[in-house]
Amino acid sequence: MPWVIADSVIAEASRFLNKPIPLIWADWLDERAERIYARNTHFRRLIRRKDETGRNYLYRFFRHWLASRMKRERVP
């Protein structure tokens, strides 16, 4: 359920920055994760780990990708 995590990361960043972040970016995060999951065995292994480890990795990747996009788009 990467879309739930994507929405959560967007909301978290928006609260932290006290600025709205485009919700379309949650879709972008979800699509990117789906694309990489389909093609990259290492990413797939990390995400499929037991207990909460896989979910935590996905949070970590989403935060990293969002920070990168915000830097590219020059969002403070």
Side-chain angles (χ1 to χ4, degrees):
M1 295 178 20
W3 61 90
V4 175
I5 295 174
D7 288 343
S8 174
V9 168
I10 293 291
E12 175 185 87
S14 182
R15 279 191 309 271
F16 180 77
L17 295 172
N18 201 23
K19 293 188 178 214
I21 295 177
L23 294 178
I24 193 76
W25 287 8
D27 295 334
W28 171 77
L29 287 171
D30 178 37
E31 290 168 7
R32 180 175 176 142
E34 294 287 340
R35 222 176 21 253
I36 294 173
Y37 184 86
R39 296 180 182 157
N40 190 309
T41 54
H42 180 67
F43 182 78
R44 194 169 31 249
R45 264 190 246 130
L46 288 174
I47 301 306
R48 294 177 80 185
R49 286 192 168 179
K50 301 289 184 214
D51 54 328
E52 298 170 1
T53 308
R55 184 194 66 198
N56 291 340
Y57 271 112
L58 197 54
Y59 268 104
R60 201 174 298 166
F61 278 111
F62 279 2
R63 287 179 183 127
H64 174 72
W65 295 339
L66 180 61
S68 175
R69 179 149 188 193
M70 290 173 70
K71 184 176 180 182
R72 260 193 330 266
E73 303 279 335
R74 298 175 194 239
V75 175

Coordinates of all heavy atoms in Angstrom, one line a residue:
M1 N 0.8 -1.2 0.0 CA 0.0 0.0 0.0 C 0.9 1.3 0.0 O 0.8 2.1 0.9 CB -0.9 0.0 1.2 CG -1.9 -1.1 1.1 SD -3.1 -1.3 2.5 CE -3.1 0.2 3.3
P2 N 1.7 1.4 -1.0 CA 2.6 2.6 -1.1 C 1.9 3.9 -1.1 O 2.4 4.9 -0.7 CB 3.5 2.4 -2.3 CG 2.7 1.4 -3.1 CD 1.9 0.6 -2.2
W3 N 0.6 4.0 -1.7 CA -0.1 5.2 -1.8 C -0.4 5.8 -0.4 O -0.4 7.0 -0.2 CB -1.3 5.1 -2.6 CG -2.3 4.1 -2.1 CD1 -3.4 4.4 -1.2 CD2 -2.4 2.7 -2.3 NE1 -4.0 3.2 -0.9 CE2 -3.5 2.2 -1.6 CE3 -1.6 1.8 -3.1 CZ2 -3.8 0.8 -1.6 CZ3 -2.0 0.5 -3.1 CH2 -3.0 0.0 -2.4
V4 N -0.6 4.9 0.6 CA -0.9 5.4 2.0 C 0.4 6.1 2.6 O 0.3 7.1 3.2 CB -1.4 4.2 2.9 CG1 -1.5 4.7 4.3 CG2 -2.7 3.7 2.3
I5 N 1.5 5.4 2.3 CA 2.7 6.0 2.8 C 3.1 7.3 2.1 O 3.5 8.2 2.7 CB 3.9 4.9 2.7 CG1 3.5 3.7 3.6 CG2 5.2 5.5 3.1 CD1 4.5 2.6 3.5
A6 N 2.8 7.3 0.8 CA 3.1 8.5 0.0 C 2.3 9.7 0.6 O 2.8 10.8 0.8 CB 2.8 8.3 -1.4
D7 N 1.0 9.5 0.8 CA 0.1 10.5 1.4 C 0.6 11.0 2.8 O 0.7 12.2 3.1 CB -1.3 10.0 1.5 CG -2.0 9.9 0.2 OD1 -1.5 10.5 -0.8 OD2 -3.1 9.2 0.2
S8 N 1.1 10.0 3.6 CA 1.6 10.3 4.9 C 2.9 11.2 4.8 O 3.0 12.1 5.6 CB 1.9 9.0 5.7 OG 2.5 9.3 6.9
V9 N 3.8 10.8 3.9 CA 5.0 11.6 3.8 C 4.7 13.0 3.3 O 5.3 13.9 3.8 CB 6.0 10.8 2.8 CG1 7.2 11.7 2.4 CG2 6.5 9.5 3.5
I10 N 3.8 13.1 2.3 CA 3.4 14.5 1.8 C 2.9 15.3 3.0 O 3.3 16.5 3.2 CB 2.4 14.4 0.7 CG1 3.1 13.7 -0.5 CG2 1.9 15.7 0.3 CD1 4.2 14.5 -1.2
A11 N 2.0 14.7 3.8 CA 1.4 15.5 4.9 C 2.4 15.8 5.9 O 2.4 16.9 6.5 CB 0.2 14.6 5.5
E12 N 3.3 14.9 6.2 CA 4.4 15.1 7.2 C 5.3 16.3 6.7 O 5.6 17.2 7.5 CB 5.2 13.9 7.3 CG 6.4 14.0 8.2 CD 7.2 12.6 8.2 OE1 8.0 12.5 7.3 OE2 6.9 11.8 9.0
A13 N 5.7 16.3 5.5 CA 6.5 17.4 5.0 C 5.8 18.7 4.9 O 6.4 19.7 5.3 CB 7.0 17.0 3.6
S14 N 4.5 18.7 4.6 CA 3.7 19.9 4.6 C 3.6 20.5 6.0 O 3.7 21.7 6.1 CB 2.3 19.6 4.0 OG 1.6 20.7 3.9
R15 N 3.4 19.7 7.0 CA 3.3 20.2 8.3 C 4.6 20.7 8.8 O 4.7 21.7 9.5 CB 2.8 19.1 9.3 CG 1.4 18.8 9.3 CD 0.9 17.9 10.4 NE 1.7 16.7 10.5 CZ 1.4 15.6 9.9 NH1 0.3 15.5 9.1 NH2 2.2 14.5 10.0
F16 N 5.7 20.0 8.5 CA 7.1 20.4 8.9 C 7.4 21.8 8.3 O 8.0 22.6 9.0 CB 8.1 19.4 8.5 CG 9.5 19.7 8.9 CD1 9.9 19.6 10.2 CD2 10.4 20.2 7.9 CE1 11.2 19.9 10.5 CE2 11.7 20.5 8.3 CZ 12.1 20.4 9.6
L17 N 7.1 22.0 7.0 CA 7.5 23.2 6.3 C 6.4 24.3 6.5 O 6.7 25.4 6.2 CB 7.7 22.9 4.8 CG 8.8 22.0 4.5 CD1 8.8 21.7 3.0 CD2 10.1 22.6 4.8
N18 N 5.3 23.9 7.0 CA 4.2 24.8 7.2 C 3.8 25.5 5.8 O 3.4 26.6 5.8 CB 4.5 25.9 8.2 CG 3.2 26.5 8.8 OD1 2.2 25.9 8.8 ND2 3.4 27.7 9.3
K19 N 3.8 24.6 4.8 CA 3.5 25.1 3.5 C 2.8 23.9 2.8 O 3.1 22.7 3.0 CB 4.7 25.5 2.6 CG 5.4 26.7 3.1 CD 6.4 27.1 2.2 CE 7.0 28.4 2.8 NZ 7.4 29.4 1.8
P20 N 1.8 24.2 1.9 CA 1.2 23.1 1.2 C 2.1 22.5 0.1 O 2.9 23.2 -0.5 CB 0.0 23.7 0.5 CG 0.3 25.2 0.4 CD 1.2 25.5 1.6
I21 N 2.1 21.2 0.0 CA 2.9 20.5 -1.0 C 1.9 19.9 -2.0 O 0.8 19.3 -1.5 CB 3.8 19.4 -0.4 CG1 4.8 20.1 0.5 CG2 4.4 18.6 -1.5 CD1 5.7 19.1 1.2
P22 N 2.1 20.0 -3.3 CA 1.1 19.5 -4.2 C 0.8 18.0 -4.0 O 1.7 17.2 -3.9 CB 1.8 19.7 -5.6 CG 2.8 20.7 -5.4 CD 3.2 20.6 -3.9
L23 N -0.5 17.7 -3.9 CA -0.9 16.3 -3.6 C -0.6 15.4 -4.8 O -0.5 14.2 -4.6 CB -2.4 16.2 -3.3 CG -2.8 16.9 -2.0 CD1 -4.3 16.8 -1.8 CD2 -2.0 16.3 -0.8
I24 N -0.4 15.9 -6.0 CA 0.0 15.1 -7.1 C 1.3 14.5 -6.9 O 1.6 13.4 -7.5 CB -0.1 16.0 -8.4 CG1 0.0 15.1 -9.7 CG2 1.1 17.0 -8.4 CD1 -1.3 14.5 -10.0
W25 N 2.1 15.0 -6.1 CA 3.5 14.5 -5.8 C 3.3 13.1 -5.1 O 4.2 12.3 -5.2 CB 4.3 15.4 -5.0 CG 4.8 16.6 -5.8 CD1 4.4 16.9 -7.1 CD2 5.7 17.6 -5.4 NE1 5.1 18.0 -7.5 CE2 5.9 18.5 -6.5 CE3 6.4 17.8 -4.3 CZ2 6.8 19.5 -6.4 CZ3 7.3 18.9 -4.2 CH2 7.4 19.7 -5.3
A26 N 2.2 12.9 -4.3 CA 2.0 11.6 -3.7 C 1.8 10.6 -4.8 O 2.3 9.4 -4.7 CB 0.8 11.7 -2.8
D27 N 1.1 10.9 -5.8 CA 0.9 10.0 -7.0 C 2.2 9.7 -7.6 O 2.5 8.6 -8.0 CB -0.1 10.6 -8.0 CG -1.5 10.7 -7.4 OD1 -1.8 10.0 -6.5 OD2 -2.2 11.6 -7.9
W28 N 3.0 10.7 -7.7 CA 4.4 10.6 -8.3 C 5.2 9.6 -7.5 O 5.9 8.7 -8.1 CB 5.0 11.9 -8.5 CG 6.5 11.9 -8.9 CD1 6.9 11.7 -10.1 CD2 7.6 12.0 -8.0 NE1 8.3 11.7 -10.1 CE2 8.7 11.9 -8.8 CE3 7.8 12.3 -6.7 CZ2 10.0 12.0 -8.3 CZ3 9.0 12.4 -6.2 CH2 10.2 12.3 -7.0
L29 N 5.2 9.8 -6.2 CA 5.9 8.9 -5.3 C 5.5 7.4 -5.5 O 6.3 6.5 -5.6 CB 5.8 9.3 -3.9 CG 6.6 10.5 -3.4 CD1 6.1 10.9 -2.0 CD2 8.1 10.3 -3.5
D30 N 4.2 7.3 -5.5 CA 3.6 5.9 -5.6 C 4.0 5.3 -6.9 O 4.4 4.1 -7.0 CB 2.1 6.0 -5.5 CG 1.4 4.7 -5.7 OD1 1.9 3.7 -5.2 OD2 0.3 4.6 -6.3
E31 N 3.8 6.0 -8.0 CA 4.2 5.5 -9.4 C 5.7 5.2 -9.4 O 6.1 4.2 -10.0 CB 3.8 6.5 -10.4 CG 2.3 6.7 -10.6 CD 1.9 7.9 -11.5 OE1 2.9 8.5 -12.0 OE2 0.7 8.1 -11.6
R32 N 6.5 6.0 -8.9 CA 7.9 5.7 -8.9 C 8.3 4.5 -8.1 O 9.1 3.6 -8.6 CB 8.7 6.9 -8.3 CG 10.2 6.7 -8.3 CD 10.9 7.9 -7.8 NE 12.3 7.6 -7.8 CZ 13.3 8.4 -8.1 NH1 13.0 9.6 -8.5 NH2 14.5 8.0 -8.0
A33 N 7.7 4.3 -7.0 CA 7.9 3.1 -6.2 C 7.4 1.8 -6.9 O 8.1 0.8 -7.0 CB 7.2 3.2 -4.8
E34 N 6.3 1.9 -7.6 CA 5.8 0.8 -8.4 C 6.7 0.4 -9.5 O 7.0 -0.7 -9.8 CB 4.4 1.1 -8.9 CG 3.3 1.2 -7.9 CD 2.9 -0.1 -7.2 OE1 3.1 -1.1 -7.8 OE2 2.3 0.0 -6.1
R35 N 7.2 1.5 -10.2 CA 8.1 1.2 -11.3 C 9.4 0.6 -10.9 O 9.9 -0.4 -11.5 CB 8.4 2.6 -12.0 CG 8.4 2.6 -13.4 CD 8.6 4.0 -14.1 NE 9.2 5.0 -13.3 CZ 8.6 6.1 -12.8 NH1 7.3 6.2 -13.0 NH2 9.2 7.0 -12.1
I36 N 10.0 1.1 -9.8 CA 11.3 0.6 -9.3 C 11.1 -0.8 -8.7 O 11.9 -1.7 -8.9 CB 11.9 1.5 -8.3 CG1 12.3 2.8 -9.0 CG2 13.1 0.9 -7.6 CD1 12.8 3.9 -8.0
Y37 N 10.0 -1.0 -8.0 CA 9.7 -2.4 -7.5 C 9.6 -3.4 -8.6 O 10.1 -4.5 -8.4 CB 8.3 -2.3 -6.7 CG 8.0 -3.6 -6.0 CD1 8.4 -3.8 -4.7 CD2 7.2 -4.5 -6.6 CE1 8.1 -5.0 -4.1 CE2 6.8 -5.7 -5.9 CZ 7.3 -5.9 -4.7 OH 7.0 -7.1 -4.0
A38 N 9.0 -3.1 -9.7 CA 8.9 -4.0 -10.8 C 10.2 -4.4 -11.5 O 10.4 -5.5 -12.0 CB 7.9 -3.4 -11.9
R39 N 11.2 -3.5 -11.4 CA 12.4 -3.6 -12.2 C 13.6 -4.0 -11.3 O 14.6 -4.5 -11.8 CB 12.7 -2.4 -13.0 CG 11.7 -2.1 -14.0 CD 12.0 -0.9 -14.8 NE 11.0 -0.6 -15.7 CZ 10.7 0.6 -16.2 NH1 11.4 1.6 -15.9 NH2 9.7 0.7 -17.1
N40 N 13.6 -3.6 -10.0 CA 14.8 -3.7 -9.2 C 14.7 -4.8 -8.1 O 13.9 -4.6 -7.2 CB 15.1 -2.3 -8.6 CG 16.5 -2.2 -8.0 OD1 16.8 -3.0 -7.2 ND2 17.2 -1.2 -8.3
T41 N 15.4 -5.8 -8.2 CA 15.3 -6.9 -7.2 C 15.8 -6.5 -5.9 O 15.2 -6.9 -4.9 CB 16.1 -8.2 -7.7 OG1 17.4 -7.8 -8.0 CG2 15.5 -8.8 -8.9
H42 N 16.8 -5.7 -5.8 CA 17.3 -5.2 -4.5 C 16.3 -4.4 -3.8 O 16.0 -4.6 -2.6 CB 18.6 -4.4 -4.6 CG 19.2 -4.0 -3.3 ND1 19.7 -4.8 -2.4 CD2 19.3 -2.7 -2.8 CE1 20.1 -4.1 -1.3 NE2 19.9 -2.8 -1.6
F43 N 15.7 -3.5 -4.5 CA 14.6 -2.6 -3.9 C 13.4 -3.5 -3.4 O 12.9 -3.4 -2.4 CB 14.1 -1.6 -4.9 CG 13.0 -0.7 -4.4 CD1 13.3 0.4 -3.6 CD2 11.7 -0.9 -4.8 CE1 12.3 1.2 -3.2 CE2 10.7 0.0 -4.4 CZ 11.0 1.0 -3.5
R44 N 13.1 -4.5 -4.3 CA 12.0 -5.4 -4.0 C 12.3 -6.2 -2.7 O 11.4 -6.4 -1.8 CB 11.7 -6.4 -5.2 CG 10.5 -7.1 -5.1 CD 10.1 -7.8 -6.4 NE 11.2 -8.3 -7.2 CZ 11.5 -7.8 -8.4 NH1 10.8 -6.8 -8.9 NH2 12.6 -8.3 -9.1
R45 N 13.5 -6.7 -2.5 CA 13.9 -7.4 -1.3 C 13.8 -6.5 -0.1 O 13.3 -7.0 1.0 CB 15.3 -8.0 -1.5 CG 15.3 -9.4 -1.9 CD 16.7 -10.0 -1.8 NE 17.1 -10.2 -3.2 CZ 18.3 -9.8 -3.7 NH1 19.2 -9.2 -3.0 NH2 18.6 -10.1 -5.0
L46 N 14.2 -5.3 -0.2 CA 14.1 -4.4 0.9 C 12.7 -4.1 1.4 O 12.4 -4.2 2.6 CB 14.8 -3.0 0.6 CG 16.3 -3.0 0.5 CD1 16.8 -1.6 0.0 CD2 17.0 -3.3 1.8
I47 N 11.8 -3.9 0.4 CA 10.4 -3.6 0.7 C 9.7 -4.8 1.2 O 8.8 -4.6 2.0 CB 9.8 -3.0 -0.6 CG1 10.5 -1.7 -1.0 CG2 8.3 -2.7 -0.3 CD1 10.7 -0.7 0.0
R48 N 10.0 -6.0 0.8 CA 9.3 -7.2 1.2 C 9.8 -7.8 2.5 O 9.3 -8.9 2.9 CB 9.4 -8.2 0.1 CG 8.7 -7.8 -1.1 CD 8.9 -8.8 -2.2 NE 7.9 -9.9 -2.0 CZ 7.9 -10.9 -2.8 NH1 8.7 -11.1 -3.8 NH2 7.0 -11.9 -2.5
R49 N 10.7 -7.1 3.2 CA 11.2 -7.6 4.5 C 10.0 -7.8 5.5 O 9.0 -7.1 5.4 CB 12.2 -6.7 5.1 CG 13.5 -6.8 4.3 CD 14.6 -6.1 5.1 NE 15.9 -6.5 4.5 CZ 17.0 -6.0 5.0 NH1 17.0 -5.2 6.0 NH2 18.1 -6.4 4.4
K50 N 10.3 -8.6 6.5 CA 9.3 -8.9 7.5 C 9.1 -7.8 8.5 O 9.9 -6.8 8.5 CB 9.7 -10.2 8.3 CG 9.8 -11.4 7.4 CD 8.5 -11.9 6.9 CE 8.7 -13.1 6.1 NZ 7.8 -13.3 5.1
D51 N 8.1 -7.9 9.3 CA 7.7 -6.9 10.3 C 7.6 -5.5 9.8 O 7.1 -5.3 8.7 CB 8.5 -7.0 11.6 CG 10.0 -7.0 11.4 OD1 10.5 -7.4 10.4 OD2 10.7 -6.5 12.3
E52 N 8.2 -4.5 10.4 CA 8.0 -3.1 10.0 C 9.2 -2.7 9.2 O 9.2 -1.5 8.7 CB 7.8 -2.3 11.2 CG 6.6 -2.6 12.0 CD 6.6 -1.9 13.4 OE1 7.5 -1.1 13.7 OE2 5.6 -2.1 14.1
T53 N 10.2 -3.5 9.0 CA 11.4 -3.1 8.3 C 11.1 -2.6 6.9 O 11.6 -1.6 6.5 CB 12.5 -4.2 8.3 OG1 12.6 -4.6 9.7 CG2 13.8 -3.7 7.8
G54 N 10.4 -3.4 6.1 CA 10.1 -3.0 4.7 C 9.3 -1.7 4.7 O 9.6 -0.9 3.8
R55 N 8.3 -1.5 5.5 CA 7.6 -0.3 5.5 C 8.5 0.9 5.9 O 8.4 2.0 5.2 CB 6.5 -0.4 6.6 CG 5.6 0.9 6.6 CD 4.7 0.9 7.8 NE 5.6 1.1 8.9 CZ 5.2 0.9 10.2 NH1 4.0 0.4 10.4 NH2 6.0 1.1 11.2
N56 N 9.4 0.7 6.8 CA 10.3 1.8 7.2 C 11.2 2.2 6.0 O 11.6 3.3 5.9 CB 11.1 1.4 8.4 CG 10.3 1.3 9.7 OD1 9.2 1.9 9.7 ND2 10.7 0.6 10.7
Y57 N 11.7 1.1 5.3 CA 12.5 1.4 4.1 C 11.7 2.3 3.1 O 12.2 3.2 2.5 CB 13.0 0.1 3.4 CG 14.3 -0.4 4.0 CD1 14.3 -1.6 4.7 CD2 15.5 0.3 3.8 CE1 15.5 -2.0 5.2 CE2 16.7 -0.2 4.3 CZ 16.7 -1.3 5.0 OH 17.9 -1.8 5.5
L58 N 10.4 1.9 2.9 CA 9.6 2.7 1.9 C 9.5 4.1 2.4 O 9.6 5.1 1.6 CB 8.3 2.0 1.8 CG 7.5 2.4 0.5 CD1 8.3 2.2 -0.8 CD2 6.2 1.6 0.4
Y59 N 9.2 4.3 3.7 CA 9.2 5.7 4.2 C 10.5 6.4 3.9 O 10.5 7.6 3.5 CB 8.9 5.7 5.7 CG 7.5 5.8 6.2 CD1 6.8 4.6 6.6 CD2 6.8 7.0 6.1 CE1 5.5 4.7 7.0 CE2 5.5 7.0 6.5 CZ 4.8 5.9 7.0 OH 3.5 6.0 7.4
R60 N 11.6 5.8 4.2 CA 12.9 6.4 4.0 C 13.1 6.8 2.5 O 13.5 7.9 2.2 CB 14.0 5.4 4.4 CG 15.3 6.0 4.7 CD 16.2 5.0 5.3 NE 15.7 4.5 6.5 CZ 16.2 3.4 7.1 NH1 17.2 2.7 6.5 NH2 15.8 2.9 8.2
F61 N 12.8 5.9 1.6 CA 12.9 6.2 0.2 C 12.0 7.3 -0.2 O 12.4 8.2 -1.0 CB 12.6 4.9 -0.7 CG 13.7 4.0 -0.9 CD1 13.6 2.7 -0.3 CD2 14.8 4.3 -1.6 CE1 14.6 1.8 -0.4 CE2 15.8 3.4 -1.8 CZ 15.7 2.1 -1.1
F62 N 10.7 7.3 0.2 CA 9.8 8.4 -0.1 C 10.3 9.7 0.4 O 10.2 10.7 -0.4 CB 8.4 8.1 0.4 CG 7.6 7.1 -0.4 CD1 8.2 6.5 -1.6 CD2 6.3 6.8 -0.1 CE1 7.4 5.6 -2.3 CE2 5.6 5.9 -0.8 CZ 6.1 5.3 -2.0
R63 N 10.8 9.8 1.6 CA 11.3 11.0 2.1 C 12.5 11.5 1.3 O 12.6 12.7 1.0 CB 11.7 10.9 3.6 CG 10.5 10.8 4.5 CD 10.9 10.6 5.9 NE 9.8 10.4 6.8 CZ 9.6 9.4 7.6 NH1 10.6 8.5 7.7 NH2 8.5 9.3 8.4
H64 N 13.3 10.6 0.9 CA 14.5 11.0 0.1 C 14.1 11.5 -1.3 O 14.6 12.5 -1.7 CB 15.4 9.7 0.0 CG 16.6 9.9 -0.9 ND1 17.6 10.7 -0.6 CD2 16.8 9.5 -2.2 CE1 18.5 10.7 -1.6 NE2 18.0 10.0 -2.6
W65 N 13.2 10.8 -1.9 CA 12.7 11.2 -3.3 C 12.0 12.5 -3.2 O 12.1 13.4 -4.1 CB 11.8 10.1 -3.9 CG 12.5 8.8 -4.1 CD1 13.8 8.6 -4.3 CD2 11.8 7.6 -4.3 NE1 14.0 7.3 -4.5 CE2 12.9 6.6 -4.5 CE3 10.5 7.1 -4.2 CZ2 12.6 5.2 -4.7 CZ3 10.3 5.8 -4.4 CH2 11.3 4.9 -4.6
L66 N 11.2 12.7 -2.2 CA 10.4 14.0 -2.0 C 11.4 15.1 -1.8 O 11.3 16.2 -2.4 CB 9.4 13.9 -0.9 CG 8.6 15.2 -0.6 CD1 7.8 15.5 -1.9 CD2 7.7 15.0 0.6
A67 N 12.4 14.9 -0.9 CA 13.4 16.0 -0.7 C 14.1 16.3 -2.0 O 14.4 17.5 -2.3 CB 14.4 15.6 0.4
S68 N 14.5 15.3 -2.8 CA 15.1 15.6 -4.0 C 14.3 16.4 -5.0 O 14.7 17.3 -5.6 CB 15.5 14.2 -4.6 OG 16.1 14.4 -5.9
R69 N 13.0 16.0 -5.1 CA 12.1 16.7 -6.0 C 11.9 18.2 -5.5 O 11.8 19.1 -6.3 CB 10.8 16.0 -6.1 CG 9.8 16.8 -7.0 CD 8.9 15.9 -7.7 NE 8.1 16.7 -8.7 CZ 7.1 16.2 -9.3 NH1 6.7 15.0 -9.1 NH2 6.4 17.0 -10.2
M70 N 11.8 18.3 -4.2 CA 11.6 19.7 -3.7 C 12.8 20.5 -4.0 O 12.7 21.7 -4.3 CB 11.3 19.6 -2.2 CG 10.0 19.0 -1.9 SD 9.7 18.8 -0.1 CE 9.5 20.5 0.4
K71 N 14.0 20.0 -3.9 CA 15.2 20.7 -4.2 C 15.2 21.1 -5.7 O 15.5 22.2 -6.1 CB 16.4 19.9 -3.9 CG 17.7 20.6 -4.1 CD 18.9 19.8 -3.7 CE 20.2 20.7 -3.9 NZ 21.4 19.9 -3.5
R72 N 14.8 20.1 -6.6 CA 14.8 20.4 -8.0 C 13.8 21.5 -8.3 O 14.0 22.3 -9.2 CB 14.4 19.1 -8.8 CG 15.5 18.4 -9.4 CD 15.1 17.3 -10.4 NE 13.8 16.7 -10.1 CZ 13.6 15.6 -9.5 NH1 14.6 14.9 -8.9 NH2 12.4 15.1 -9.3
E73 N 12.6 21.4 -7.7 CA 11.5 22.4 -7.9 C 11.7 23.7 -7.1 O 10.9 24.6 -7.3 CB 10.2 21.7 -7.6 CG 9.9 20.5 -8.3 CD 9.3 20.6 -9.7 OE1 8.8 21.7 -9.9 OE2 9.5 19.7 -10.5
R74 N 12.7 23.7 -6.3 CA 13.1 24.9 -5.5 C 11.9 25.2 -4.5 O 11.6 26.4 -4.4 CB 13.4 26.0 -6.3 CG 14.7 25.7 -7.2 CD 15.0 26.8 -8.1 NE 16.0 26.3 -9.0 CZ 17.2 26.8 -9.2 NH1 17.5 27.9 -8.6 NH2 18.0 26.3 -10.1
V75 N 11.4 24.2 -3.9 CA 10.4 24.4 -2.9 C 11.2 24.6 -1.5 O 11.9 23.7 -1.2 CB 9.4 23.2 -2.8 CG1 8.4 23.4 -1.6 CG2 8.7 23.1 -4.1
P76 N 11.0 25.7 -0.8 CA 11.7 25.9 0.4 C 11.3 24.9 1.5 O 10.3 24.4 1.6 CB 11.4 27.3 0.8 CG 10.3 27.7 0.0 CD 10.1 26.8 -1.1

